[in-house]
Amino acid sequence: MMKIHKAHTLLDIDGDAVLREARSLIVKQLDQPARRAFLQRSLTLGGLSLLTGCSLSDNSQVESALAKISRFNDKVQGLIFSPSQLAPTYTDAEITRPFPFNAYYGEDEVRIVDEAGYRLEVTGMVADRHAWTLAELRAMPQADQITRHICVEGWSAIGKWGGVRFADFLRHIGADTNAKYVGFKCADDYYTSIDMATALHPQTLLALTYDGQPLPPKYGFPMKLRMPTKLGYKNPKHIMAMFVTNTYSGGYWEDQGYNWFGGS
Ligand SMILES: Nc1nc2c(c(=O)[nH]1)N[C@H]1C(S)=C(S)[C@@H](COP(=O)(O)O)O[C@H]1N2
Ligand SMILES: [Mo]
């Protein structure tokens, strides 16, 4: 099922009711399964940022809605930000089971990527542009983390991912770390891009495993980029290609209005 985002629908509905729902979702439903209804009822950060970009300052309802949304955003940002600049980590016992699945389509349409033919394409501002097999990536030093994934649809969940520290990978391939962005293309139609500072963050992981096992298809086989400092939509699954660039390249949801930085 396709999710439809339409910023203008927010103008047709009661701002306070939407915000009550947003608050109750974020407060009561942390660690609960995904609620697609959240998006289906049109409350999306995407729609909201689109509104922020519009000149609607004469509309007092929208203005007060935006002020409340900004506090709602602060709450989300607060969950993923800590003064030490590292996202909080958790114990095995705190892992959310089962971990929720999410994508712009349903679980019955999860993309299956064949391991044998898989090569991670690396282009742009890097010295070594060879394409990587999974075996080569598994031969790099591995790290793992138990962190919280926060989705703007109003749920969060704690999971365990393992793989190659992205900073190690970037240095290994001779990436120009003065470049502004790293972009990703996925096996589905998803794509996103991140700032270099986050790419180099010690908790940013080119994740090859989930809960100690090769990443299952639904969680992004053969690999995803796991960034506990960023919201769920910034974490691309099924990565097929990455590129280092100074040219802004947006993202699947970002191009529909979601905040591009999407994190702390
Ligand atoms: N390739 C791809 N990556 C994606 C998405 C997607 O639709 N396709 N959805 C994003 C969103 S909005 C979320 S919340 C997470 C969900 O990851 P999970 O299935 O491991 O919970 O994947 C992110 N990465
Ligand atoms: Mo998400």
Side-chain angles (χ1 to χ4, degrees):
M1 179 194 47
M2 244 333 249
K3 290 176 187 169
I4 310 293
H5 289 212
K6 285 205 179 84
H8 67 259
T9 55
L10 196 81
L11 296 170
D12 305 335
I13 52 181
D14 177 57
D16 282 339
V18 166
L19 289 159
R20 265 197 304 280
E21 181 176 331
R23 267 195 300 275
S24 76
L25 277 167
I26 198 77
V27 172
K28 291 184 202 146
Q29 294 185 4
L30 291 180
D31 294 321
Q32 297 293 304
R35 297 289 164 106
R36 286 176 175 267
F38 188 72
L39 267 188
Q40 282 159 357
R41 287 172 207 157
S42 291
L43 180 67
T44 69
L45 287 188
L48 305 173
S49 354
L50 276 179
L51 277 175
T52 325
C54 297
S55 56
L56 294 160
S57 51
D58 53 328
N59 184 328
S60 66
Q61 194 194 10
V62 170
E63 207 164 51
S64 95
L66 288 174
K68 289 172 195 166
I69 286 151
S70 165
R71 289 200 291 280
F72 164 72
N73 276 344
D74 289 345
K75 202 172 259 177
V76 174
Q77 304 279 347
L79 276 169
I80 56 177
F81 180 78
S82 83
S84 65
Q85 307 291 338
L86 288 180
T89 56
Y90 300 87
T91 65
D92 266 288
E94 292 172 291
I95 293 174
T96 306
R97 300 179 192 281
F99 192 85
F101 161 83
N102 196 26
Y104 66 88
Y105 42 80
E107 205 171 323
D108 52 331
E109 290 174 61
V110 166
R111 303 307 191 264
I112 305 296
V113 176
D114 169 48
E115 168 159 0
Y118 178 79
R119 298 289 183 279
L120 171 67
E121 189 186 293
V122 181
T123 58
M125 300 162 67
V126 298
D128 174 3
R129 295 196 189 85
H130 97 273
W132 287 65
T133 63
L134 274 184
E136 287 176 296
L137 288 163
R138 289 177 186 140
M140 295 264 303
Q142 308 286 302
D144 56 37
Q145 60 171 258
I146 302 176
T147 52
R148 186 186 292 276
H149 171 114
I150 300 172
C151 174
V152 296
E153 290 184 50
W155 58 270
S156 84
I158 293 167
K160 181 176 180 175
W161 293 270
V164 181
R165 279 202 183 85
F166 199 45
D168 291 349
F169 181 75
L170 289 172
R171 291 191 180 108
H172 187 90
I173 63 174
D176 181 347
T177 53
N178 293 315
K180 285 190 193 156
Y181 311 110
V182 183
F184 302 90
K185 291 181 199 161
C186 306
D188 48 14
D189 288 331
Y190 211 75
Y191 60 100
T192 189
S193 55
I194 60 166
D195 52 294
M196 184 59 79
T198 299
L200 296 173
H201 186 281
Q203 288 174 308
T204 296
L205 213 58
L206 200 50
L208 305 171
T209 67
Y210 181 76
D211 205 12
Q213 302 298 320
L215 212 59
K218 65 177 177 176
Y219 300 144
F221 185 86
M223 85 188 59
K224 69 176 277 179
L225 194 73
R226 174 61 198 146
M227 295 172 284
T229 57
K230 284 204 189 294
L231 293 165
Y233 64 87
K234 295 298 298 180
N235 290 238
K237 304 194 286 188
H238 314 291
I239 299 172
M240 302 301 284
M242 53 164 274
F243 51 98
V244 176
T245 180
N246 277 323
T247 307
Y248 178 81
S249 60
Y252 183 92
W253 291 123
E254 294 89 330
D255 291 351
Q256 299 175 57
Y258 276 39
N259 173 248
W260 176 78
F261 192 78
S264 59

